[in-house]
Amino acid sequence: MPRVTFIEHDETIHEISADNDATLMEAALDNLVPGIDADCGGQCACATCHIFINDEWATKIPAREETEETMLELAEGVTEFSRLACQIRVNDTLDGLTVQLPEAQH
Amino acid sequence: MTDAATAMNADDAIPDPYSIPLDQIRMNQSRLFQNNAHGEYFRRLRKEDPVHYCAESEVGPFWSITKFDDIVKIDSNHKQFSSEPAISIGNPSEDFTTPMFIAMDPPKHDVQRKAANPGVAPARLADLEGLIRERAGKILDGLPIGEEFNWVDRVSIELTTQMLATLFDFPFEDRHLLTQWSDVTTNVDMFVSEEKIQERRASLRECLAYFTRLWHERADQPPKFDFISLMAHNPDTKDMINNPMELLGNLILLIVGGNDTTRNSISAGIVGLNQNPQEYDKLLADPTLIPNMVSEIIRWQTPLAYMRRTAKEDIEFQGKQIKKGDKVVMWYVSGNRDETKIENADELLIDRARARQHMSFGFGIHRCMGNRVGEMQVRILWEEILKRFERIEMVREPIRVNSSFVMGYSEVMVRIMPKDKH
Ligand code: HEM
Ligand code: FES
C-alpha cells in the first residue's frame, strides 16, 4: 500500500497508507484526514477536494483533464500545483507522495 | 384542457399522483409544493419515468430530470446544457430582462463570478464569523420566552438580512430594503396582474438607483471586500455600471441567492427537529453534531427545488431524445430523495454518514458560490441556540410558500422553553 503524506494548512501532518487504486480523495476520507470535503463524492463536479501537489511529483501523475481544469478555474486560491484529489488514483509509483491542503474548501 | 389538467385547478384537492396518466404529470404547479405533496409525485417519476417529458404546461413543454446521478451529469455538462436565457422554467419577459451570471454561459459567467467570489471566500468568512455570532446572540436574546411568535420573521429573516447587509456593506439602518427587494423578486403574487408587474419593476428600479449611488461611492474609495466594491474595482466588471439592467440582474442574484435560501434553511431546522423529536434529542445530547446537521437540514429542505437548463443541441439522454432548445429541469428536490443514492432519503438524520454529499447547492461551474456563508450562518445560529434554550417548540403546522422554485416557509409558529425550567 503506497504511503501518502497530507499536510494541512496549519502544517499538521497526516501519514497514511492508501489502498491501491483508491483516489487521493477516498484515501483522505477513509483515513479521517481533515480538510477535504468532497461534496460531490468524486464526480469532479464540486472542487471541494482541492489539493496541491508539488513539481517533483506532478510529472508522475496524469495531467488535468478538461473537466478538472474547468472546475479548478473557479476554485479559490488555485496555483499551478492545484489538483482535485478525486481525479488522482493512487498506485505504487506514488509511494511517498506529499500532498498539501488549502486553508479551506470553497 | 385535458381531464388531468382541469383536475388540478387551484381550489381542488391534490390528486393522488397515481391517479394521473404519467404523461400528464406537470411538476411546475406551485400548489403541489405549497401543500408538500410533491414528494410522492417525484417518487413515481423516479421509479417509472426518471427522465420525464411534460408536453403541455402553462410555461410550455419541459423535461424533468429526477434522479441524483442524472442531475449531476447534466449540471456538470454546461457545454450541451446552457444556463441561458433563464434558470427558471418560465422565460424572462422581453421588455424587462435582467442578465445575471447564474443565467450566463462561459466565458462571461466565469469573469463575473470570479469578480464577486472573494466576497464569500474562506478568508472573508473567517473575518465574519465573530460578527455573525454576536448578531445571532442578540437576536436570540431578544426573543420572548414562553410566548408564541413567528420564527420566520423574528429570526430567519432578521439574521439573513443582517448578513446580506454586511456582504454588500449596505447601510445597516436601511437593511429592510434588501428584504423588500428580495421578496418582490421571488413572490409569485407580483406576477398576477399588469399592475403588480409594474409595481415590481418600480421597486427593482429603486433598488438599481440605490445601488448605483453606492457603486459610485465605492468606486472612488479604496477596494474592499463587499460585493459592490469588488465589482466596481475589478477590470472585468467595472463597466457594468454602464449596463444598468445587467447590474440590476447581478444585484438581484446576489440578494436573492443568499436570502431566501438561508432564511428557509434556518426555518427548516425548527420544522425538521420538531417533526423528528428523536433527532432533537440527539442534538441536545451531542452538540458536536451541529455541522453535520446543517448539511442534513440543507439536503432535507432543498431550499431551491430546481435549476433549469436549455439543450444546445439534440442529445440522447438515458434513452430519451432531448431536442435542441428543449427546457431541461434538474429537480434537486427529487435528487435529494433518490432512494437508490441516499439511504432512508425521506428521513432527517442529523448524524447521517456523508451528509455533505447532497445536491442542494448544485454542481459544476454554477455550483452555489455562497454555500459556505449559508452553512456558517445556520451553524452559528444553532450553536448559539443550544447555549440558551432547552427546546424551541413548533406549536402548529408551518405555512409553506406558494412556489415550485423556492422551498420555504412564511410562518413557523414557535414557543421557546427556557433552559433552566426543564
Ligand atoms: C442554504 C443556502 C443556499 C442554497 C441551498 C443555495 C443554492 C444554490 C443553487 C442550487 C445554485 C445553482 C447551482 C447550479 O446551477 O448548479 C446557487 C447558485 C448561486 N448561489 Fe446559492 N444557495 C445558498 C446560499 C447562497 C448565499 C448565502 C449566497 C451569497 C450571498 C449565494 C449565492 C449564489 C450565487 C451568486 C450563485 C450563482 C453561481 C453561478 O452561477 O456561478 N447562495 N445557489
Ligand atoms: S469530490 Fe467533488 S470535485 Fe472532487
Side-chain angles (χ1 to χ4, degrees):
Chain A
M1 294 209 312
R3 287 164 307 122
V4 180
T5 305
F6 288 90
I7 306 177
E8 285 186 68
H9 192 70
D10 68 2
E11 318 245 295
T12 311
I13 292 176
H14 303 264
E15 285 173 336
I16 63 148
S17 299
D19 288 336
N20 256 311
D21 226 31
T23 66
L24 282 176
M25 178 277 278
E26 289 160 348
L29 260 53
D30 291 347
N31 290 282
L32 304 177
V33 177
I36 290 183
D37 290 340
D39 290 0
C40 76
Q43 310 209 47
C44 203
C46 72
T48 65
C49 63
H50 182 197
I51 55 169
F52 304 101
I53 294 181
N54 71 20
D55 245 354
E56 165 198 347
W57 285 99
T59 51
K60 300 193 176 156
I61 296 172
R64 301 172 187 161
E65 286 185 19
E66 197 185 339
T67 337
E68 184 179 348
E69 199 77 59
T70 312
M71 288 311 295
L72 278 172
E73 266 284 291
L74 299 167
E76 184 65 21
V78 173
T79 73
E80 61 190 297
F81 305 120
S82 292
R83 294 298 305 253
L84 293 179
C86 69
Q87 298 305 300
I88 298 171
R89 282 197 187 279
V90 180
N91 58 44
D92 288 332
T93 60
L94 296 187
D95 187 41
L97 173 71
T98 299
V99 171
Q100 244 101 24
L101 297 170
E103 185 184 358
Q105 301 288 349
H106 177 59
Chain B
M1 262 208 286
T2 61
D3 287 343
T6 38
M8 298 289 268
N9 282 337
D11 300 332
D12 297 341
I14 303 234
D16 179 327
Y18 289 91
S19 69
I20 302 172
L22 199 53
D23 64 352
Q24 286 174 25
I25 287 183
R26 290 184 289 132
M27 291 315 300
N28 64 309
Q29 300 171 92
S30 55
R31 67 187 207 102
L32 291 178
F33 298 85
Q34 188 177 25
N35 290 286
N36 201 23
H38 57 282
E40 291 307 315
Y41 278 77
F42 281 125
R43 192 189 312 285
R44 179 170 184 210
L45 290 184
R46 284 195 302 275
K47 211 163 23 190
E48 296 180 22
D49 195 20
V51 177
H52 174 261
Y53 190 63
C54 170
E56 242 181 90
S57 84
E58 301 78 357
V59 286
F62 64 92
W63 294 92
S64 283
I65 314 296
T66 57
K67 297 206 66 164
F68 194 105
D69 287 338
D70 287 347
I71 294 170
V72 177
K73 277 192 196 114
I74 291 185
D75 218 355
S76 14
N77 182 355
H78 58 275
K79 290 216 169 113
Q80 289 183 300
F81 295 96
S82 170
S83 292
E84 299 177 9
I87 46 83
S88 56
I89 305 186
N91 278 338
S93 51
E94 273 165 25
D95 56 343
F96 197 80
T97 34
T98 48
M100 53 182 82
F101 68 82
I102 196 171
M104 288 177 194
D105 292 333
K108 216 170 161 190
H109 158 268
D110 301 6
V111 292
Q112 297 194 356
R113 175 176 168 127
K114 279 185 202 162
N117 191 53
V120 285
R124 167 95 165 137
L125 295 199
D127 289 344
L128 293 178
E129 171 141 6
L131 184 68
I132 300 181
R133 190 175 299 283
E134 190 190 310
R135 287 180 178 164
K138 261 198 202 134
I139 292 173
L140 295 174
D141 288 336
L143 296 175
I145 302 293
E147 267 172 49
E148 287 184 17
F149 67 93
N150 184 0
W151 183 263
V152 176
D153 290 336
R154 293 289 295 265
V155 182
S156 312
I157 293 183
E158 193 50 36
L159 186 64
T160 44
T161 305
Q162 292 188 9
M163 182 65 200
L164 206 55
T166 303
L167 293 179
F168 280 103
D169 193 9
F170 193 85
F172 205 63
E173 61 287 0
D174 283 349
R175 65 183 187 278
H176 66 276
L177 288 171
L178 293 170
T179 320
Q180 196 180 308
W181 295 326
S182 180
D183 290 345
V184 299
T185 305
T186 52
N187 190 341
V188 286
D189 297 335
M190 297 309 287
F191 297 90
V192 294
S193 66
E194 188 52 33
E195 198 187 335
K196 283 284 176 197
I197 290 175
Q198 291 310 332
E199 194 188 315
R200 174 175 183 273
R201 289 180 187 181
S203 175
L204 292 178
R205 280 192 202 98
E206 275 170 31
C207 170
L208 177 62
Y210 197 114
F211 274 103
T212 302
R213 272 200 313 278
L214 285 188
W215 181 293
H216 287 302
E217 280 169 30
R218 304 279 157 87
D220 291 339
Q221 290 164 3
K224 287 184 303 177
F225 278 94
D226 64 273
F227 287 139
I228 303 300
S229 296
L230 286 166
M231 291 193 293
H233 285 273
N234 190 306
D236 290 324
T237 47
K238 68 178 175 33
D239 295 331
M240 204 186 283
I241 190 71
N242 302 324
N243 187 347
M245 289 310 266
E246 187 165 310
L247 173 59
L248 179 58
N250 282 308
L251 290 169
I252 293 175
L253 167 61
L254 294 166
I255 294 173
V256 176
N259 202 36
D260 277 11
T261 50
T262 313
R263 174 200 297 182
N264 291 319
S265 303
I266 291 174
S267 303
I270 299 291
V271 177
L273 291 177
N274 274 276
Q275 291 177 348
N276 300 274
Q278 74 290 352
E279 300 303 302
Y280 214 149
D281 295 341
K282 277 187 206 164
L283 172 67
L284 295 178
D286 181 6
T288 64
L289 287 172
I290 290 175
N292 205 69
M293 173 180 86
V294 169
S295 293
E296 174 67 351
I297 289 172
I298 292 171
R299 176 192 73 89
W300 184 79
Q301 181 60 23
T302 317
L304 295 180
Y306 72 84
M307 285 283 150
R308 166 200 151 187
R309 298 294 184 258
T310 304
K312 283 165 96 167
E313 50 197 80
D314 292 356
I315 300 151
E316 183 177 326
F317 189 76
Q318 306 297 25
K320 304 275 180 131
Q321 293 297 327
I322 297 178
K323 291 263 176 298
K324 181 176 177 178
D326 283 358
K327 294 178 182 179
V328 179
V329 179
M330 309 176 286
W331 291 101
Y332 301 132
V333 73
S334 172
N336 271 336
R337 292 287 188 280
D338 185 343
E339 42 288 277
T340 61
K341 190 75 186 181
I342 301 172
E343 250 176 74
N344 301 318
D346 281 335
E347 275 162 54
L348 177 84
L349 298 171
I350 68 167
D351 50 358
R352 182 182 286 285
R354 306 211 168 194
R356 296 200 62 84
Q357 291 177 13
H358 61 72
M359 49 181 20
S360 297
F361 295 124
F363 289 115
I365 61 167
H366 290 281
R367 181 176 163 78
C368 179
M369 192 179 92
N371 58 4
R372 302 296 149 143
V373 203
E375 289 173 344
M376 182 165 90
Q377 289 179 79
V378 184
R379 169 176 61 79
I380 292 176
L381 181 68
W382 277 100
E383 286 166 359
E384 295 303 310
I385 288 174
L386 290 196
K387 282 184 197 162
R388 289 172 172 77
F389 311 133
E390 181 61 34
R391 263 177 213 263
I392 300 162
E393 188 190 354
M394 186 166 77
V395 296
R396 53 176 171 271
E397 279 298 294
I399 299 178
R400 290 162 204 273
V401 300
N402 179 24
S403 169
S404 60
F405 183 62
V406 173
M407 298 291 96
Y409 307 92
S410 55
E411 185 190 284
V412 178
M413 292 303 290
V414 299
R415 190 171 37 218
I416 294 178
M417 307 304 203
K419 208 165 176 127
D420 39 1
K421 291 187 198 144
H422 122 92

